[in-house]
Amino acid sequence: RDTNPGTLAAPWKTIQKAANSAKAGDNVFVRAGIYKEKVQINVSGTATAPITFANYKSEKPVIDLTGVTPGSDLSAMIRIPSRSYVTVKGFELRNFRTTDESRVPVGILVDGACKGVKLIGNKIHHIEQNNAVEGNFDANAHGIAVYGTSATAVDGLVIDANEVSFLRLGASEAIAINGNVTNFTVSKNSVHDCNNIGIDVIGYEGTNSNRSLDRARNGLIVANTVYNIDSSKNPAYGGSFTSGGGALAAAGIYVDGGTNVVIERNQILGCNYGVELASEWADGKTDLITVRDN
C-alpha cells in the first residue's frame, strides 16, 4: 500500500511512491520482485546528502515492461529529469519494445540539467526497436541515454559497472552521451550483443538548442568490455533481424562531435569497428580525443 509509512515492516507498494517522496540523504531500498511501472525520479539530493535507489541487500528488483507500449519520442523505464545527486543501483530493467518509429524505448534516461547522477551496477536488456523497414534512420532505442538539453550541463555523471545487452537499437546506441554533458565517467560496464553502437559520445545533433553547448565533453571512458556489436542484422543498415545482410557499421566505442575525451584500458572485440572517431556534421568537429592502452 502506498499509504504505508515506507518502513521495512510496512513498505510502499511502488517505486514511484519513493521517487516522489524521498528526501536528501535517504536510501531507498527496493525489495525483490517484478515491478511493471515506469518510474520518474522527482526528487534531488545534495552533494553531501545524495539520494540512493538501490536493491535491498542481495535481492533483485526487476522492472519488466512486457506488453507496455512506450510513449511518444523518448520513453524511459527510469527517467531522471533535471534532478541532482541521485544514484540508481542494482536494478534489472527488461522487455521494453516497439515497432513504431515515433516511439523510442529507453532503459534509463538522464535529461535536462542534472548534477552528480550515478548509474551503478544495473542490468539492462531486451530494449528493442523492432521496426523492420530497411534504411529507416527514424527508428531508435537506447539502453542508457543522457541528453544534455538544458543551458545548464549534465555534470559529474557516472555510469559504472552496468551490463547493457541484447538491444535492438535502430539508428541509435546502447549507451549515448549526447549534447550539453560535461565531466562524465563511463567505466567498467559490459556492453554486448547489440545491433548498433556500444558507447557513443555525441555532439551537434540538435539535442541542445545552443549550438556552442551541443557537444559532450571532458569525459573518461575506461575499463569497459564491449563485444558483439554488429549492425548486419539491423534494418536501419539494410539488414534483416534474422538473416542479416546489412552494412557493418557499428563501433564498440564512437566519438561523433565530442571533445576532450580519454578512451583507455577498454577491451573491445567482435565489433564492426573497435574505436571510431569521426564527425557526421559538416560544421562540427570531433577533437582532443586520446585513445590509449585499449
Side-chain angles (χ1 to χ4, degrees):
R1 299 291 187 272
D2 279 352
T3 55
N4 283 349
T7 62
L8 182 62
W12 289 321
K13 181 179 180 181
T14 64
I15 303 169
Q16 187 60 55
K17 173 66 175 181
N20 293 335
S21 306
K23 303 294 190 298
D26 282 349
N27 292 309
V28 176
F29 294 110
V30 182
R31 302 299 302 267
I34 296 176
Y35 299 81
K36 196 167 187 174
E37 58 175 310
K38 289 166 55 175
V39 177
Q40 179 166 301
I41 294 177
N42 295 319
V43 292
S44 287
T46 67
T48 56
I51 298 172
T52 298
F53 294 80
N55 61 306
Y56 179 71
K57 295 187 175 180
S58 62
E59 295 184 11
K60 296 180 180 180
V62 177
I63 299 178
D64 187 320
L65 295 188
T66 299
V68 175
T69 300
S72 60
D73 199 21
L74 291 164
S75 181
M77 301 179 76
I78 296 177
R79 183 185 177 199
I80 305 173
S82 295
R83 303 295 170 180
S84 294
Y85 300 108
V86 169
T87 296
V88 175
K89 180 178 181 181
F91 287 83
E92 180 178 351
L93 283 67
R94 69 189 189 198
N95 299 333
F96 199 27
R97 301 178 171 97
T98 189
T99 60
D100 187 342
E101 68 176 42
S102 70
R103 305 175 191 273
V104 182
V106 181
I108 301 177
L109 173 63
V110 179
D111 65 325
C114 301
K115 189 174 180 66
V117 170
K118 298 180 180 181
L119 311 176
I120 301 174
N122 302 288
K123 183 177 182 180
I124 301 170
H125 61 99
H126 292 96
I127 313 299
E128 297 179 4
Q129 173 51 261
N130 288 319
N131 187 287
V133 177
E134 292 187 7
N136 183 7
F137 259 57
D138 293 324
N140 298 279
H142 297 285
I144 296 172
V146 182
Y147 275 66
T149 56
S150 174
T152 301
V154 174
D155 191 354
L157 172 80
V158 173
I159 300 174
D160 181 72
N162 302 280
E163 182 181 6
V164 183
S165 62
F166 298 102
L167 308 183
R168 289 183 174 180
L169 297 163
S172 287
E173 309 84 23
I175 297 177
I177 314 294
N178 194 330
N180 191 13
V181 184
T182 190
N183 302 322
F184 63 88
T185 300
V186 180
S187 56
K188 300 191 296 293
N189 301 282
S190 175
V191 183
H192 63 91
D193 293 285
C194 300
N195 72 351
N196 208 355
I197 297 159
I199 300 169
D200 198 359
V201 179
I202 305 171
Y204 304 114
E205 273 197 343
T207 298
N208 195 286
S209 59
N210 184 336
R211 191 72 168 170
S212 66
L213 298 177
D214 192 28
R215 61 191 313 210
R217 58 202 181 272
N218 306 324
L220 175 64
I221 300 174
V222 59
N224 301 281
T225 302
V226 186
Y227 61 97
N228 295 349
I229 302 298
D230 176 16
S231 59
S232 66
K233 292 184 177 181
N234 187 331
Y237 294 89
S240 161
F241 285 128
T242 54
S243 59
L248 305 181
I253 299 174
Y254 183 27
V255 183
D256 169 26
T259 185
N260 196 26
V261 178
V262 174
I263 300 168
E264 65 180 2
R265 291 186 286 117
N266 302 283
Q267 184 177 30
I268 307 167
L269 60 158
C271 303
N272 301 148
Y273 296 95
V275 176
E276 181 179 7
L277 311 178
S279 177
E280 300 177 15
W281 312 100
D283 60 345
K285 62 186 176 180
T286 291
D287 64 358
L288 304 176
I289 311 300
T290 300
V291 181
R292 63 190 177 202
D293 297 331
N294 299 282

